[in-house]
Amino acid sequence: MSEISTRHQTGAPQNLEQRFAARAAGMQPSEIRALFAVASRPEIVSLAGGMPNLSALPMKMMASVVNDLILTNGTEALQYGSGQGHPKLREQICEVMALEGIRAHPEDVVVTTGSQQALDLISRIFIDPGDVVLVEAPSYVGALGTFHQYQASVVHVSMDNDGLIPDALRDAIKTTRAAGRKIKFLYLIPNYQNPTGVLLPADRRTEILDICRKEEIFVVEDNPYGLLGFDRPSPNAMRAEDSENVIYLGSFSKTIASGLRVGWALVPPSLKDKLVIASESSILCPSNFSQMTISNYLADQPWRDQIASFCELYKVRRDAMLQALEEHFPASATWTKPGGGFYVWVNLPPEIDTKLLVPKAIVAKVAYVPGTAFYADGLGSWQLRLSFCHPTPERIHQGVAALGGVIKQEIERRSSNKLN
Ligand code: PMP
């Protein structure tokens, strides 16, 4: 019998769970991942995933960038590179960040495999089991997953339609410290937040920076959507105001191509070496091929115009979604009106459980992500995230109409149950 078939017959080794490290218990599939398999069926309108829409990216142009790179510089592009990232790309990253008011030195930039890897590295450097990480309520599911794996205790801080509330942050710090717990950093997404789409105004940015500086809490500013403002440019990055206490994360996933997997961290100089060492131990170095593709693209192509094309594409979809919500959602629902990014956040009447509603939505051929995915503490049961980035405006309309029908039916069913 071949080794492969023996393995299939015997299954997993005994007591596997006991053999794992304690932190493996935190390695659970996210609710979004489980949804993706269903949501990617062609008959389903997926308002679930946050996949960038690459239909606006001219593929012939990308092919020629890659072709030229390999023909002129293939031996470097296909070789290992620097652990900190390609020097030329790090300079160009500083030019990109200048668009959001950041003045940075390429020496303080560490290129990562998407900003997701930067989140992992920062967590590895800072979090001991039980340490507190403050995050917005709700927050990015991928960050929550990473913090969970490092056994952090996640404390959510309230938001409103203008993002994180400074007074709520003061309260959360006070209560957490009064309970004798250590706060390691505040993680937030100031621009077109995932999952709510809201924008943190400039005055709140300053106030939050002041609080965190005084309280000696690092700010991790995650900014993948900052250049995707549809109606006006976003305010300056928080890092533009504070170079000592902010760890800034950037990404080319939404402005060029997520498949190249290039992001970065801009860190205070005192943290740079730790970050590079941590990164080298996990990946040796980020892909030279991806970095040089992006570097040549930035050097030779009209990348600002390309970002404007992406914004145009997403704005049409945002408008389609907001219009469809007005037309098809019940009067008791409310939602955010994002000025950029990928997402709308919906509040339903509290008796509606959006997780239990997923199978009914799938039958109606529409997928979304239930709100609980974006909280570490089980909240969000009557909320949901809709993403408008990928489907066509017509499909968005169709999907929102179908979901509106499912929600209205559920509200009716509950009120007739109450009457009976
Ligand atoms: N942060 C946020 C808020 C995100 O939405 C995402 C991707 N959806 C990431 C980080 C990770 O992006 P990437 O690794 O592709 O740069």
Side-chain angles (χ1 to χ4, degrees):
M1 198 182 289
S2 79
E3 209 179 302
I4 291 174
S5 59
T6 314
R7 184 171 172 273
H8 277 287
Q9 277 184 1
T10 50
Q14 286 197 333
N15 306 325
L16 188 57
E17 295 292 320
Q18 284 99 304
R19 296 202 218 167
F20 285 147
R23 78 181 77 86
M27 297 174 186
Q28 301 293 341
S30 77
E31 292 187 38
I32 295 198
R33 180 119 72 85
L35 250 179
F36 271 172
V38 183
S40 60
R41 297 207 306 250
E43 71 275 18
I44 307 278
V45 179
S46 177
L47 307 174
M51 276 201 304
N53 194 321
L54 295 180
S55 65
L57 189 67
M59 289 301 164
K60 279 207 174 120
M61 174 274 292
M62 280 316 279
S64 81
V65 170
V66 170
N67 196 47
D68 288 352
L69 171 65
I70 297 296
L71 290 179
T72 58
N73 221 345
T75 50
E76 188 185 356
L78 300 176
Q79 186 55 277
Y80 290 121
S82 142
Q84 186 176 349
H86 200 276
K88 181 164 175 217
L89 180 65
R90 286 191 278 114
E91 278 171 26
Q92 292 165 306
I93 284 172
C94 291
E95 285 166 36
V96 173
M97 290 190 293
L99 296 179
E100 292 180 88
I102 295 176
R103 291 174 56 206
H105 197 282
E107 257 313 298
D108 300 329
V109 174
V110 180
V111 180
T112 52
T113 302
S115 54
Q116 189 67 34
Q117 193 215 349
L119 274 170
D120 184 74
L121 298 176
I122 288 160
S123 302
R124 190 158 5 131
I125 291 169
F126 282 102
I127 299 172
D128 282 321
D131 284 346
V132 171
V133 175
L134 301 172
V135 306
E136 292 152 308
S139 185
Y140 166 50
V141 64
L144 296 181
T146 304
F147 302 151
H148 196 54
Q149 284 199 20
Y150 286 96
Q151 297 163 283
S153 168
V154 170
V155 172
H156 286 282
V157 183
S158 298
M159 299 171 78
D160 59 19
N161 281 338
D162 285 327
L164 192 90
I165 303 167
D167 276 339
L169 175 62
R170 287 190 185 89
D171 287 348
I173 295 171
K174 214 162 145 192
T175 328
T176 307
R177 289 204 168 138
R181 302 165 78 197
K182 238 192 237 171
I183 302 172
K184 285 300 172 76
F185 54 82
L186 164 69
Y187 167 77
L188 83 176
I189 307 152
N191 292 316
Y192 320 118
Q193 198 240 13
N194 183 0
T196 62
V198 306
L199 181 94
L200 189 71
D203 54 345
R204 278 201 184 176
R205 294 181 190 218
T206 305
E207 197 175 345
I208 290 168
L209 285 170
D210 285 347
I211 297 170
C212 288
R213 206 179 309 112
K214 273 192 208 115
E215 298 288 348
E216 298 184 356
I217 295 170
F218 277 116
V219 174
V220 177
E221 175 182 28
D222 190 8
N223 188 29
Y225 304 100
L227 296 179
L228 296 184
F230 309 152
D231 309 315
R232 62 184 68 85
S234 48
N236 273 352
M238 296 174 83
R239 169 57 176 74
E241 250 186 86
D242 186 337
S243 56
E244 292 302 314
N245 203 45
V246 177
I247 299 169
Y248 174 95
L249 309 187
S251 173
F252 289 113
S253 286
K254 277 85 186 181
T255 49
I256 305 180
S258 49
L260 289 170
R261 307 302 303 125
V262 179
W264 68 92
L266 169 66
V267 291
S270 52
L271 292 180
K272 203 268 309 275
D273 285 348
K274 275 268 184 284
L275 203 65
V276 174
I277 291 164
S279 183
E280 284 172 345
S281 101
S282 74
I283 59 162
L284 291 183
C285 63
S287 157
N288 251 4
F289 172 72
S290 288
Q291 291 181 87
M292 290 172 78
T293 299
I294 288 187
S295 175
N296 288 4
Y297 168 87
L298 290 171
D300 301 333
Q301 303 297 327
W303 58 273
R304 288 181 184 79
D305 295 346
Q306 182 59 46
I307 294 176
S309 310
F310 280 132
C311 285
E312 201 39 51
L313 177 136
Y314 294 130
K315 179 180 160 76
V316 171
R317 285 162 172 76
R318 186 265 324 252
D319 291 345
M321 178 166 279
L322 292 180
Q323 196 190 339
L325 283 164
E326 285 295 341
E327 283 172 28
H328 300 289
F329 264 43
S332 50
T334 58
W335 52 87
T336 55
K337 312 218 164 35
F342 286 4
Y343 310 107
V344 171
W345 183 249
V346 180
N347 280 288
L348 298 178
E351 65 273 16
I352 305 293
D353 186 326
T354 55
K355 204 167 171 181
L356 292 181
L357 220 54
V358 169
K360 289 181 185 165
I362 296 292
V363 171
K365 300 194 171 51
V366 57
Y368 62 88
V369 185
T372 45
F374 306 98
Y375 291 90
D377 53 10
L379 289 179
S381 65
W382 61 85
Q383 299 173 311
L384 59 96
R385 188 192 76 178
L386 299 177
S387 61
F388 52 78
C389 47
H390 217 263
T392 60
E394 296 71 34
R395 295 266 288 169
I396 288 174
H397 206 100
Q398 188 189 328
V400 170
L403 184 56
V406 169
I407 293 167
K408 282 177 185 165
Q409 256 182 16
E410 182 68 9
I411 292 175
E412 269 165 36
R413 192 182 67 79
R414 294 193 142 261
S415 65
S416 70
N417 276 0
K418 250 189 228 159
L419 291 177
N420 290 337

